[in-house]
Coordinates of all heavy atoms in Angstrom, one line a residue:
E258 N -54.0 84.5 -7.1 CA -54.8 83.3 -6.7 C -54.8 83.1 -5.2 O -55.9 82.8 -4.6 CB -54.3 82.1 -7.5 CG -55.0 80.8 -7.2 CD -56.3 80.7 -8.0 OE1 -56.6 81.6 -8.8 OE2 -57.0 79.7 -7.7
V259 N -53.7 83.2 -4.6 CA -53.7 82.9 -3.1 C -54.4 84.0 -2.3 O -55.0 83.7 -1.3 CB -52.2 82.7 -2.5 CG1 -51.6 81.5 -3.1 CG2 -51.4 83.9 -2.7
V260 N -54.4 85.2 -2.9 CA -55.1 86.3 -2.2 C -56.6 86.1 -2.4 O -57.4 86.2 -1.5 CB -54.6 87.7 -2.7 CG1 -55.6 88.8 -2.3 CG2 -53.2 88.0 -2.2
K261 N -57.0 85.8 -3.7 CA -58.4 85.6 -4.0 C -59.0 84.5 -3.2 O -60.1 84.6 -2.6 CB -58.5 85.3 -5.5 CG -59.9 85.4 -6.0 CD -60.0 85.3 -7.5 CE -60.8 84.0 -8.0 NZ -60.4 83.6 -9.3
K262 N -58.2 83.4 -3.0 CA -58.8 82.2 -2.3 C -58.4 82.2 -0.9 O -58.7 81.2 -0.2 CB -58.3 81.0 -3.1 CG -58.8 80.9 -4.5 CD -59.5 79.6 -4.8 CE -60.4 79.7 -6.0 NZ -59.7 79.8 -7.3
N263 N -57.6 83.2 -0.4 CA -57.2 83.2 1.0 C -56.4 81.9 1.4 O -56.5 81.4 2.4 CB -58.3 83.4 2.0 CG -57.8 84.0 3.3 OD1 -56.9 84.8 3.3 ND2 -58.4 83.5 4.4
I264 N -55.5 81.5 0.4 CA -54.7 80.3 0.7 C -53.5 80.6 1.5 O -52.8 81.5 1.1 CB -54.3 79.6 -0.7 CG1 -55.6 79.1 -1.4 CG2 -53.3 78.5 -0.5 CD1 -55.3 78.6 -2.8
P265 N -53.3 80.0 2.6 CA -52.1 80.3 3.4 C -50.8 80.1 2.6 O -50.7 79.2 1.8 CB -52.2 79.3 4.6 CG -53.6 78.8 4.6 CD -54.1 78.9 3.2
V266 N -49.9 81.0 2.9 CA -48.6 80.9 2.2 C -47.5 80.6 3.1 O -47.3 81.3 4.2 CB -48.3 82.3 1.5 CG1 -46.9 82.3 0.9 CG2 -49.4 82.5 0.4
N267 N -46.7 79.6 2.8 CA -45.5 79.2 3.6 C -44.4 79.9 2.9 O -43.9 79.4 1.9 CB -45.4 77.7 3.6 CG -44.2 77.2 4.4 OD1 -43.6 77.9 5.1 ND2 -43.9 75.9 4.2
A268 N -43.9 81.0 3.5 CA -43.0 81.9 2.8 C -41.5 81.4 3.0 O -41.1 81.3 4.2 CB -43.1 83.3 3.3
G269 N -40.8 81.3 1.9 CA -39.4 80.9 1.9 C -38.5 82.1 1.6 O -37.3 81.9 1.5
S270 N -39.1 83.3 1.5 CA -38.2 84.4 1.3 C -38.9 85.7 1.8 O -40.1 85.7 1.9 CB -37.9 84.7 -0.2 OG -39.1 85.0 -0.9
I271 N -38.1 86.7 2.2 CA -38.6 87.9 2.7 C -39.4 88.7 1.7 O -40.5 89.3 2.0 CB -37.3 88.8 3.1 CG1 -36.5 88.1 4.2 CG2 -37.8 90.2 3.6 CD1 -37.2 88.0 5.6
E272 N -39.0 88.6 0.4 CA -39.8 89.3 -0.6 C -41.2 88.8 -0.6 O -42.1 89.6 -0.9 CB -39.1 89.0 -2.0 CG -37.8 89.8 -2.2 CD -36.6 89.1 -1.5 OE1 -36.8 88.0 -1.0 OE2 -35.6 89.8 -1.4
M273 N -41.5 87.5 -0.4 CA -42.8 87.0 -0.5 C -43.7 87.7 0.6 O -44.9 88.0 0.4 CB -42.8 85.5 -0.2 CG -42.2 84.7 -1.3 SD -42.1 83.0 -0.9 CE -43.8 82.4 -1.0
L274 N -43.1 88.0 1.8 CA -43.8 88.6 2.9 C -44.2 90.0 2.5 O -45.3 90.5 2.8 CB -43.0 88.5 4.2 CG -42.8 87.0 4.7 CD1 -41.8 87.0 5.8 CD2 -44.1 86.4 5.1
H275 N -43.2 90.7 1.9 CA -43.5 92.1 1.5 C -44.7 92.1 0.5 O -45.6 92.9 0.6 CB -42.3 92.7 0.8 CG -41.2 93.2 1.7 ND1 -41.4 94.2 2.6 CD2 -39.9 92.8 2.0 CE1 -40.3 94.5 3.3 NE2 -39.4 93.6 3.0
Q276 N -44.6 91.2 -0.5 CA -45.6 91.2 -1.6 C -47.0 90.9 -1.0 O -48.0 91.6 -1.3 CB -45.3 90.1 -2.6 CG -44.2 90.4 -3.6 CD -43.9 89.2 -4.4 OE1 -43.2 88.3 -3.9 NE2 -44.3 89.2 -5.6
L277 N -47.0 89.9 -0.1 CA -48.3 89.6 0.5 C -48.8 90.6 1.4 O -50.0 91.0 1.4 CB -48.1 88.3 1.3 CG -48.5 87.0 0.7 CD1 -48.2 85.9 1.7 CD2 -50.0 86.9 0.3
G278 N -47.9 91.2 2.2 CA -48.3 92.2 3.2 C -48.9 93.4 2.5 O -49.9 94.0 3.0
K279 N -48.3 93.8 1.3 CA -48.8 95.0 0.6 C -50.2 94.7 0.0 O -51.1 95.6 0.0 CB -47.9 95.4 -0.5 CG -46.7 96.1 0.0 CD -45.7 96.5 -1.1 CE -44.4 97.0 -0.5 NZ -43.3 96.7 -1.4
M280 N -50.4 93.5 -0.5 CA -51.6 93.2 -1.2 C -52.7 92.6 -0.3 O -53.9 92.8 -0.6 CB -51.3 92.2 -2.3 CG -52.4 92.0 -3.3 SD -51.7 91.5 -4.8 CE -53.1 90.7 -5.5
S281 N -52.3 92.0 0.8 CA -53.3 91.2 1.5 C -53.0 91.2 3.0 O -52.7 90.2 3.6 CB -53.3 89.8 1.0 OG -54.3 89.0 1.6
P282 N -53.1 92.4 3.7 CA -52.8 92.5 5.1 C -53.7 91.5 5.9 O -54.8 91.3 5.5 CB -53.1 93.9 5.5 CG -53.3 94.7 4.2 CD -53.6 93.7 3.1
G283 N -53.1 90.8 6.8 CA -53.9 89.9 7.6 C -53.9 88.5 7.0 O -54.4 87.5 7.6
H284 N -53.2 88.3 5.9 CA -53.1 87.0 5.2 C -52.5 86.0 6.1 O -51.5 86.3 6.7 CB -52.4 87.2 3.9 CG -52.7 86.1 2.9 ND1 -53.6 86.2 1.9 CD2 -52.2 84.8 2.8 CE1 -53.6 85.1 1.2 NE2 -52.8 84.2 1.7
P285 N -53.0 84.7 6.1 CA -52.4 83.7 6.9 C -51.0 83.3 6.3 O -51.0 82.9 5.1 CB -53.4 82.5 6.9 CG -54.3 82.8 5.7 CD -54.2 84.3 5.4
V286 N -50.0 83.3 7.1 CA -48.7 82.9 6.6 C -48.0 82.0 7.6 O -48.3 81.9 8.8 CB -47.7 84.1 6.3 CG1 -48.2 85.0 5.2 CG2 -47.5 84.9 7.6
W287 N -47.1 81.2 7.0 CA -46.1 80.4 7.7 C -44.8 80.9 7.4 O -44.6 81.5 6.4 CB -46.1 78.9 7.2 CG -47.4 78.1 7.4 CD1 -48.6 78.3 6.8 CD2 -47.4 76.9 8.1 NE1 -49.4 77.3 7.2 CE2 -48.8 76.4 7.9 CE3 -46.5 76.1 8.8 CZ2 -49.2 75.2 8.5 CZ3 -47.0 74.9 9.4 CH2 -48.3 74.5 9.2
I288 N -43.8 80.7 8.3 CA -42.4 81.0 7.9 C -41.7 79.6 7.7 O -41.8 78.7 8.5 CB -41.7 81.7 9.0 CG1 -42.3 83.0 9.4 CG2 -40.2 81.9 8.6 CD1 -41.6 83.8 10.5
R289 N -41.2 79.5 6.5 CA -40.3 78.3 6.2 C -38.9 78.7 6.6 O -38.2 79.5 6.0 CB -40.3 77.9 4.7 CG -39.4 76.8 4.5 CD -39.5 76.2 3.1 NE -38.5 75.1 3.0 CZ -38.4 74.4 1.9 NH1 -39.2 74.6 0.9 NH2 -37.5 73.4 1.9
I290 N -38.5 78.1 7.7 CA -37.2 78.5 8.3 C -36.1 77.7 7.6 O -36.2 76.4 7.5 CB -37.2 78.1 9.8 CG1 -38.3 78.9 10.5 CG2 -35.8 78.4 10.4 CD1 -38.7 78.4 11.9
N291 N -35.0 78.3 7.3 CA -33.8 77.6 6.9 C -33.0 77.4 8.2 O -32.5 78.4 8.8 CB -32.9 78.3 5.9 CG -31.7 77.6 5.5 OD1 -31.2 76.7 6.3 ND2 -31.2 77.9 4.3
P292 N -33.0 76.2 8.8 CA -32.4 76.0 10.1 C -30.9 76.1 10.1 O -30.3 75.8 11.2 CB -32.9 74.6 10.5 CG -33.0 73.9 9.2 CD -33.4 74.9 8.2
R293 N -30.3 76.4 9.0 CA -28.9 76.6 8.9 C -28.1 75.2 8.8 O -26.9 75.1 9.0 CB -28.3 77.5 9.9 CG -29.1 78.8 9.9 CD -28.5 79.9 10.7 NE -29.2 81.2 10.4 CZ -28.7 82.4 10.7 NH1 -27.5 82.5 11.3 NH2 -29.4 83.4 10.4
F294 N -28.9 74.1 8.6 CA -28.3 72.8 8.3 C -29.3 72.1 7.4 O -30.5 72.5 7.3 CB -28.0 72.0 9.5 CG -29.2 71.7 10.3 CD1 -29.9 70.5 10.1 CD2 -29.6 72.5 11.4 CE1 -31.0 70.2 10.8 CE2 -30.7 72.2 12.1 CZ -31.4 71.1 11.8

Side-chain angles (χ1 to χ4, degrees):
E258 180 78 3
V259 296
V260 168
K261 191 171 122 202
K262 300 233 159 67
N263 201 36
I264 293 172
V266 171
N267 181 13
S270 69
I271 298 290
E272 287 77 12
M273 292 174 73
L274 294 170
H275 280 295
Q276 283 173 285
L277 260 180
K279 282 181 193 147
M280 192 152 155
S281 183
H284 201 95
V286 292
W287 295 63
I288 300 176
R289 175 171 181 177
I290 300 163
N291 181 334
R293 307 191 170 196
F294 62 89

